[in-house]
Amino acid sequence: MDFNVLKQNLENLGYKVSCFDRAKEAAEYLNTQIDQRSVGFGGSVTLEQMGLYEKLVSHNEVYWHWRIPEGKTDKDMRLEANAADIYISSVNGIAETGEIINIDGNCNRVAAIFYGHEKVYLIIGENKIAKDYDSALYRARNIAAPLNAKRLGMKTPCAAEGKQCYNCSSPQRICRGLSVLWEKPSSCMFEIVLIHEELGY
Protein backbone atom coordinates (compact mmCIF):
# COMPACT_ATOMS: atom_id res chain seq x y z
CA MET A 1 0.00 0.00 0.00
CA ASP A 2 1.41 3.35 -1.08
CA PHE A 3 -0.21 6.50 0.34
CA ASN A 4 1.51 8.67 -2.25
CA VAL A 5 0.07 6.66 -5.15
CA LEU A 6 -3.40 6.67 -3.61
CA LYS A 7 -3.23 10.40 -2.86
CA GLN A 8 -2.21 11.20 -6.43
CA ASN A 9 -4.92 8.99 -7.89
CA LEU A 10 -7.59 10.55 -5.67
CA GLU A 11 -6.47 14.06 -6.57
CA ASN A 12 -6.63 13.12 -10.25
CA LEU A 13 -10.26 12.09 -9.63
CA GLY A 14 -11.11 15.52 -8.21
CA TYR A 15 -10.81 14.98 -4.44
CA LYS A 16 -8.90 17.08 -1.96
CA VAL A 17 -6.67 14.76 0.08
CA SER A 18 -5.10 15.27 3.51
CA CYS A 19 -2.72 12.75 5.10
CA PHE A 20 -1.89 12.23 8.76
CA ASP A 21 0.28 9.82 10.72
CA ARG A 22 -2.14 9.56 13.65
CA ALA A 23 -5.89 9.72 14.19
CA LYS A 24 -5.39 12.32 16.89
CA GLU A 25 -3.75 14.67 14.40
CA ALA A 26 -6.58 14.16 11.91
CA ALA A 27 -9.21 14.84 14.60
CA GLU A 28 -7.46 18.07 15.58
CA TYR A 29 -7.29 19.13 11.94
CA LEU A 30 -11.01 18.51 11.40
CA ASN A 31 -11.78 20.38 14.60
CA THR A 32 -10.09 23.48 13.18
CA GLN A 33 -11.74 23.13 9.77
CA ILE A 34 -15.35 22.75 10.91
CA ASP A 35 -16.80 25.51 13.07
CA GLN A 36 -20.33 26.76 13.73
CA ARG A 37 -21.82 24.40 11.18
CA SER A 38 -24.39 21.62 11.14
CA VAL A 39 -22.57 18.29 10.86
CA GLY A 40 -23.93 14.82 10.12
CA PHE A 41 -22.10 11.63 11.05
CA GLY A 42 -22.48 8.27 9.40
CA GLY A 43 -22.34 5.14 11.53
CA SER A 44 -18.60 4.64 11.92
CA VAL A 45 -16.29 2.89 14.35
CA THR A 46 -13.49 5.01 12.88
CA LEU A 47 -15.16 8.25 14.00
CA GLU A 48 -15.86 6.71 17.41
CA GLN A 49 -12.21 5.72 17.85
CA MET A 50 -11.08 9.24 16.90
CA GLY A 51 -13.30 10.91 19.52
CA LEU A 52 -14.41 13.26 16.77
CA TYR A 53 -17.98 13.77 17.97
CA GLU A 54 -16.80 15.03 21.36
CA LYS A 55 -14.48 17.54 19.70
CA LEU A 56 -16.95 18.92 17.18
CA VAL A 57 -20.10 19.03 19.31
CA SER A 58 -18.65 21.78 21.53
CA HIS A 59 -18.86 24.33 18.69
CA ASN A 60 -21.09 22.73 16.03
CA GLU A 61 -24.54 21.16 15.78
CA VAL A 62 -23.67 17.50 15.33
CA TYR A 63 -26.23 14.86 14.39
CA TRP A 64 -25.34 11.20 14.92
CA HIS A 65 -27.67 8.27 15.46
CA TRP A 66 -25.05 6.83 17.84
CA ARG A 67 -25.66 9.85 20.13
CA ILE A 68 -29.42 10.34 20.45
CA PRO A 69 -30.63 13.29 22.56
CA GLU A 70 -33.65 12.91 24.79
CA GLY A 71 -36.86 13.29 22.84
CA LYS A 72 -35.27 12.22 19.53
CA THR A 73 -35.14 8.89 17.73
CA ASP A 74 -32.42 7.27 15.66
CA LYS A 75 -34.51 8.01 12.56
CA ASP A 76 -34.68 11.70 13.54
CA MET A 77 -30.90 11.81 13.85
CA ARG A 78 -30.32 10.10 10.51
CA LEU A 79 -32.62 12.55 8.74
CA GLU A 80 -30.99 15.56 10.39
CA ALA A 81 -27.54 14.19 9.60
CA ASN A 82 -28.51 13.80 5.96
CA ALA A 83 -29.66 17.44 5.85
CA ALA A 84 -26.54 18.89 7.52
CA ASP A 85 -24.08 21.31 5.92
CA ILE A 86 -21.19 18.89 6.41
CA TYR A 87 -21.23 15.09 6.35
CA ILE A 88 -18.50 12.87 7.79
CA SER A 89 -18.13 9.13 7.34
CA SER A 90 -15.58 6.43 6.84
CA VAL A 91 -15.62 3.80 4.10
CA ASN A 92 -15.59 0.00 3.89
CA GLY A 93 -12.94 -0.19 1.21
CA ILE A 94 -10.87 2.01 -1.06
CA ALA A 95 -8.72 0.95 -4.01
CA GLU A 96 -5.28 2.42 -4.66
CA THR A 97 -6.75 3.30 -8.05
CA GLY A 98 -9.29 5.56 -6.30
CA GLU A 99 -12.61 3.71 -6.23
CA ILE A 100 -14.41 4.15 -2.89
CA ILE A 101 -16.79 1.42 -1.72
CA ASN A 102 -19.44 1.34 1.00
CA ILE A 103 -22.00 -1.27 2.03
CA ASP A 104 -25.03 -0.23 4.07
CA GLY A 105 -28.13 -1.68 5.68
CA ASN A 106 -30.44 1.34 6.12
CA CYS A 107 -28.59 3.12 3.27
CA ASN A 108 -28.74 6.49 5.02
CA ARG A 109 -24.94 6.64 4.99
CA VAL A 110 -24.49 5.86 1.31
CA ALA A 111 -27.32 8.24 0.41
CA ALA A 112 -25.77 11.06 2.44
CA ILE A 113 -22.32 10.56 0.96
CA PHE A 114 -23.66 10.87 -2.56
CA TYR A 115 -25.67 14.09 -2.35
CA GLY A 116 -27.04 16.98 -0.32
CA HIS A 117 -24.15 18.62 1.54
CA GLU A 118 -21.75 21.51 1.05
CA LYS A 119 -18.84 19.22 1.87
CA VAL A 120 -18.23 15.55 2.63
CA TYR A 121 -15.23 14.25 4.57
CA LEU A 122 -14.31 10.58 4.25
CA ILE A 123 -11.94 9.41 6.99
CA ILE A 124 -9.89 6.36 6.02
CA GLY A 125 -7.43 4.30 8.06
CA GLU A 126 -4.71 2.38 6.25
CA ASN A 127 -6.44 -0.96 6.86
CA LYS A 128 -9.23 0.08 4.46
CA ILE A 129 -6.88 0.37 1.49
CA ALA A 130 -6.77 -2.40 -1.13
CA LYS A 131 -4.73 -2.79 -4.30
CA ASP A 132 -7.53 -2.48 -6.85
CA TYR A 133 -11.30 -2.28 -7.24
CA ASP A 134 -11.93 -6.02 -6.97
CA SER A 135 -9.82 -6.23 -3.80
CA ALA A 136 -11.59 -3.24 -2.26
CA LEU A 137 -14.99 -4.75 -3.04
CA TYR A 138 -13.86 -8.08 -1.56
CA ARG A 139 -12.71 -6.26 1.56
CA ALA A 140 -16.02 -4.43 1.97
CA ARG A 141 -18.07 -7.62 1.59
CA ASN A 142 -15.91 -10.20 3.31
CA ILE A 143 -14.06 -8.27 6.02
CA ALA A 144 -15.91 -5.06 6.92
CA ALA A 145 -19.47 -6.36 6.66
CA PRO A 146 -19.00 -9.53 8.77
CA LEU A 147 -17.13 -7.59 11.46
CA ASN A 148 -19.86 -4.95 11.59
CA ALA A 149 -22.59 -7.59 11.71
CA LYS A 150 -20.79 -9.25 14.59
CA ARG A 151 -20.36 -5.90 16.38
CA LEU A 152 -24.09 -5.25 16.07
CA GLY A 153 -24.98 -8.69 17.39
CA MET A 154 -26.80 -9.70 14.22
CA LYS A 155 -27.97 -13.26 13.71
CA THR A 156 -26.39 -13.75 10.29
CA PRO A 157 -23.99 -16.41 8.99
CA CYS A 158 -21.23 -13.84 8.53
CA ALA A 159 -21.57 -12.62 12.13
CA ALA A 160 -21.43 -16.18 13.44
CA GLU A 161 -18.37 -17.08 11.40
CA GLY A 162 -16.82 -13.62 11.15
CA LYS A 163 -14.94 -14.56 8.01
CA GLN A 164 -16.88 -13.90 4.82
CA CYS A 165 -20.14 -12.89 3.18
CA TYR A 166 -22.59 -15.73 2.58
CA ASN A 167 -24.98 -13.61 0.50
CA CYS A 168 -27.63 -14.65 3.01
CA SER A 169 -31.35 -13.93 3.13
CA SER A 170 -31.40 -13.26 6.87
CA PRO A 171 -33.90 -10.59 8.01
CA GLN A 172 -31.00 -9.07 9.96
CA ARG A 173 -28.72 -8.86 6.93
CA ILE A 174 -26.82 -5.53 7.06
CA CYS A 175 -25.44 -5.52 3.49
CA ARG A 176 -28.46 -4.27 1.53
CA GLY A 177 -26.97 -1.44 -0.49
CA LEU A 178 -23.62 -1.09 -2.26
CA SER A 179 -22.18 2.25 -3.38
CA VAL A 180 -19.13 2.97 -5.50
CA LEU A 181 -17.63 6.41 -6.07
CA TRP A 182 -15.78 6.21 -9.37
CA GLU A 183 -14.85 9.91 -9.18
CA LYS A 184 -15.71 12.89 -6.99
CA PRO A 185 -19.41 13.75 -7.40
CA SER A 186 -19.91 17.13 -9.04
CA SER A 187 -22.52 18.26 -6.50
CA CYS A 188 -20.21 19.29 -3.63
CA MET A 189 -16.69 19.39 -2.20
CA PHE A 190 -15.10 16.16 -1.01
CA GLU A 191 -12.04 15.75 1.17
CA ILE A 192 -10.42 12.38 1.78
CA VAL A 193 -8.54 12.15 5.07
CA LEU A 194 -5.97 9.34 5.00
CA ILE A 195 -4.50 8.15 8.30
CA HIS A 196 -1.46 5.90 8.80
CA GLU A 197 -3.24 3.85 11.47
CA GLU A 198 -5.67 0.97 11.47
CA LEU A 199 -9.10 2.37 12.26
CA GLY A 200 -12.55 0.80 12.23
CA TYR A 201 -13.47 -2.22 10.16
Side-chain angles (χ1 to χ4, degrees):
M1 166 244 310
D2 188 326
F3 262 40
N4 291 326
V5 170
L6 175 57
K7 182 176 186 292
Q8 186 62 62
N9 287 338
L10 288 168
E11 288 174 344
N12 290 343
L13 295 172
Y15 301 99
K16 178 180 178 181
V17 183
S18 300
C19 298
F20 299 90
D21 288 330
R22 297 288 177 261
K24 181 180 178 181
E25 296 167 3
E28 289 170 355
Y29 166 74
L30 292 164
N31 198 36
T32 64
Q33 296 298 302
I34 304 169
D35 184 51
Q36 301 298 316
R37 307 306 302 274
S38 60
V39 183
F41 273 31
S44 170
V45 173
T46 294
L47 303 186
E48 180 83 68
Q49 290 172 336
M50 293 173 69
L52 191 58
Y53 177 90
E54 288 72 21
K55 285 185 177 295
L56 294 182
V57 76
S58 65
H59 56 106
N60 296 277
E61 289 291 329
V62 184
Y63 304 106
W64 196 13
H65 62 283
W66 289 13
R67 302 283 193 280
I68 304 173
E70 187 175 349
K72 296 282 189 177
T73 67
D74 60 348
K75 182 178 180 181
D76 293 333
M77 301 309 288
R78 286 186 176 98
L79 289 171
E80 291 184 276
N82 284 23
D85 300 329
I86 309 293
Y87 195 76
I88 306 177
S89 181
S90 188
V91 307
N92 297 132
I94 182 169
E96 280 190 8
T97 44
E99 298 92 344
I100 299 171
I101 297 172
N102 272 300
I103 290 174
D104 210 348
N106 289 308
C107 295
N108 59 295
R109 183 170 55 102
V110 297
I113 289 170
F114 273 143
Y115 187 78
H117 309 283
E118 293 177 21
K119 186 166 185 176
V120 172
Y121 290 91
L122 297 177
I123 318 300
I124 303 171
E126 63 185 8
N127 52 310
K128 306 289 185 74
I129 303 169
K131 182 178 180 180
D132 52 29
Y133 170 77
D134 288 337
S135 301
L137 177 60
Y138 180 90
R139 186 198 188 282
R141 294 194 67 188
N142 295 285
I143 298 174
L147 288 173
N148 275 306
K150 186 173 184 178
R151 172 181 62 85
L152 293 167
M154 296 302 182
K155 293 180 172 59
T156 59
C158 71
E161 297 292 334
K163 294 180 180 178
Q164 67 182 64
C165 174
Y166 292 87
N167 197 26
C168 72
S169 57
S170 168
Q172 292 194 341
R173 175 175 174 150
I174 67 165
C175 47
R176 294 172 180 263
L178 171 72
S179 72
V180 181
L181 289 173
W182 300 107
E183 296 188 26
K184 184 193 85 65
S186 58
S187 59
C188 73
M189 296 181 289
F190 273 71
E191 183 168 348
I192 311 300
V193 177
L194 300 175
I195 304 172
H196 278 287
E197 282 191 300
E198 292 196 4
L199 293 164
Y201 303 139

